[in-house]
Amino acid sequence: MPKNSKVTQREHSNEHVTESVADLLALEEPVDYKQSVLNVAGETGGKQKVAEEELDTEDRPAWNSKLQYILAQIGFSVGLGNIWRFPYLCQKNGGGAYLVPYLVLLIIIGIPLFFLELAVGQRIRRGSIGVWHYVCPRLGGIGFSSCIVCLFVGLYYNVIIGWSVFYFFKSFQYPLPWSECPVIRNGTVAVVEPECEKSSATTYFWYREALDISNSISESGGLNWKMTLCLLVAWSIVGMAVVKGIQSSGKVMYFSSLFPYVVLACFLVRGLLLRGAVDGILHMFTPKLDKMLDPQVWREAATQVFFALGLGFGGVIAFSSYNKQDNNCHFDAALVSFINFFTSVLATLVVFAVLGFKANIMNEKCVVENAEKILGYLNSNVLSRDLIPPHVNFSHLTTKDYSEMYSVIMTVKEKQFPALGLDPCLLEDELDKSVQGTGLAFIAFTEAMTHFPASPFWSVMFFLMLINLGLGSMIGTMAGITTPIIDTFKVPKEMFTVGCCVFAFFVGLLFVQRSGNYFVTMFDDYSATLPLTVIVILENIAVAWIYGTKKFMQELTEMLGFRPYRFYFYMWKFVSPLCMAVLTTASIIQLGVSPPGYSAWIKEEAAERYLYFPNWAMALLITLIAVATLPIPVVFILRHFHLLSDGSNTLSVSYKKGRMMKDISNLEENDETRFILSKVPSEAPSPMPTHRSYLGPGSTSPLENSNNPNGRYGSGYLLASTPESEL
């Protein structure tokens, strides 16, 4: 470009532009670019300090290594849901048959949308607010909604870490405190606690000793001081891990992301050596093909896919924004998705191996108890000894012998049989008992561990694993809150992060009341699901239909150095939006058909009872969903009617230490200021013409190979086109 060329003047400007931005750049050739800073603003004579602008991407923190980044993404995506929700869904939805819809939806929804979030974060190098403001200013509310959802999830998720902390410290005892029911002494009389005797030792410890739970969500019962202290410990751990951003959290990820795999491997080896483990694993992988035709199974599989990968939270975008632009995020998406799925399957194997062991123990216990009933009936002549097969030995009664004896008695005493109160004691019935979430981790699994040799060791390892899994997810969740806010509003990082943790702790006191577990259910099952589906589908639409799939694919081609598979073009453009729209509709219908409720623990009955949320709780739930989604229409309306600036009135360009970064909105297609978004004039090739765009699947990439694509000034970090003007 000649040095005397001029920047096209705006018609509405009252001042004459005497020199173009390109001229200014050209005249600066003798200057040391590594130390110089250029700021150009639409306001004449405006002088802006570097500390005030902070637009240069060279100042943005970066991961110390690719391994650290991958571990961070794995730590965020692999969480508690992989350990207790995925095995429950397998158990509930047909065993091995559930893997089919999950894999299908992982391929057509999970990996494409995960790749999309990685790509936009790495390309734009901003948190979720800045990313979606860049892609489409009118949908900039997506970023704010992501922050709110992250806040909601972080509030209750850290409570679960607090529960794990409580169990972790309680595990340093032998025998484990939940292995036996407590005994109440009244003078010389000692009786077992009735609530525990009616349920089980692990169930009693969870509901009474740990949570001290009330009978319903309407009975607050005051704060549980033990869980309040554990919540304080949990937020202290999270705060220390994230206070310095990726400089501190990246180092934590080396342990928190890898340690769970060590524990899972140890549990798998130990589990496979347990009696009955094979029964549990075979039960898991025995497919019930009729479940594959159930729409509810596909809906739950889709929900699990994007919850497992962390889609819509903003954490994926935040982590990828600290990458260099030549990073191969396509490989990262496939790798992290595969590791996530592998972890879910590994955890399911461990869970079913241990539950198979537990089922055999419970089945043998059932046989012993019912055999004692039969002996009582024989001694009282209620049953004739002729009904007992001659080979049956009550002192060494096997499950096969009991099953044969049970069948004979049921056949002969057909009319009187219900009054006998005998149980069939089938192993399949024990394996079919679906336990999800906290019930799986804090009741079923803890009960199985009481039968392990050296049970305190395994208990310590298990709950330390849960703490680390939760910590990895919380680091990503906090990044989804802090990174976009710090990027957008330039608030002090450490002060804002500590303030978030303190604020979240005090709001989180809601969850450590005696009724707190019911609020956890409300937030976990309902408040985040619908907003997240809305966020994810709008992300897809913003990139594929507003920004443009062809344009986005072309930018990926230039950023990565190769053209992504055309598979992604069709997924982003058609398949993923359609699937997400169906999922959103199904979620809304599900809320309308099945009123939200929760499982309440009734102390007097020592049993769970499903209750519907009262009116005030329903109002709170609706408010939470509305608050999480409200920023999207609000920002759209404000920007549609020009009540909120989208940053199009100013032009600010900075280059420093050999790199340049822009903050530009609504520039003309032929505006010569595009020149400044490329390399320095002395080294840069001709600016990319506006007609060079990706032509869709099957087209030839216009990207030209270069021995040094990033050049001296790292153009891999540059955004070579103006965003909003092309929407």
Side-chain angles (χ1 to χ4, degrees), residues 85 89 92-93 98 291-303 583 586-587 590 594:
R85 180 160 178 79
L89 291 175
K92 174 187 174 186
N93 295 322
Y98 174 74
K291 288 286 187 178
M292 292 175 56
L293 303 177
D294 187 353
Q296 178 69 10
V297 172
W298 287 81
R299 188 185 74 84
E300 291 184 349
T303 303
L583 175 61
S587 299
Q590 181 69 19
S594 301

Side-chain angles (χ1 to χ4, degrees), residues 114-278:
F114 189 57
F115 179 32
L116 184 146
E117 289 200 359
L118 290 178
V120 295
Q122 180 174 307
R123 174 69 168 159
I124 303 171
R125 294 177 62 77
R126 286 293 181 268
S128 57
I129 295 176
V131 160
W132 301 116
H133 167 76
Y134 176 99
V135 173
C136 178
R138 291 183 181 180
L139 291 180
I142 295 175
F144 291 98
S145 289
S146 294
C147 291
I148 294 173
V149 170
C150 280
L151 175 62
F152 288 169
V153 172
L155 288 174
Y156 77 81
Y157 206 89
N158 223 25
V159 174
I160 301 175
I161 298 180
W163 294 342
S164 302
V165 169
F166 176 78
Y167 269 79
F168 172 75
F169 286 111
K170 286 289 185 179
S171 298
F172 291 94
Q173 303 179 37
Y174 186 80
L176 291 171
W178 51 82
S179 60
E180 296 178 354
C181 286
V183 176
I184 302 175
R185 295 189 178 276
N186 185 8
T188 58
V189 179
V191 295
V192 176
E193 168 64 46
E195 184 181 3
C196 183
E197 189 175 23
K198 291 179 182 178
S199 53
S200 68
T202 51
T203 304
Y204 174 83
F205 186 88
W206 166 241
Y207 283 119
R208 193 55 51 212
E209 296 292 335
L211 301 181
D212 193 19
I213 200 166
S214 61
N215 284 359
S216 72
I217 195 173
S218 300
E219 302 175 23
S220 169
L223 289 178
N224 181 338
W225 68 269
K226 293 179 289 187
M227 287 305 165
T228 302
L229 291 178
C230 291
L231 180 64
L232 179 61
V233 171
W235 274 115
S236 300
I237 295 173
V238 171
M240 289 187 290
V242 301
V243 67
K244 295 291 184 181
I246 63 171
Q247 285 84 358
S248 57
S249 62
K251 295 176 179 140
V252 173
M253 286 296 186
Y254 282 113
F255 181 77
S256 65
S257 296
L258 294 176
F259 178 73
Y261 290 96
V262 176
V263 177
L264 283 175
C266 293
F267 265 100
L268 181 61
V269 173
R270 183 68 186 91
L272 291 176
L273 297 176
L274 295 172
R275 176 171 47 88
V278 176

Side-chain angles (χ1 to χ4, degrees), residues 21 168 216 268 344 349 351 440 458 503 556 586 588 595 642 650 721:
V21 177
F168 172 75
S216 72
L268 181 61
S344 297
L349 286 173
V351 168
L440 177 61
W458 293 104
F503 171 77
L556 286 183
I588 296 173
H642 308 291
T650 61
S721 61

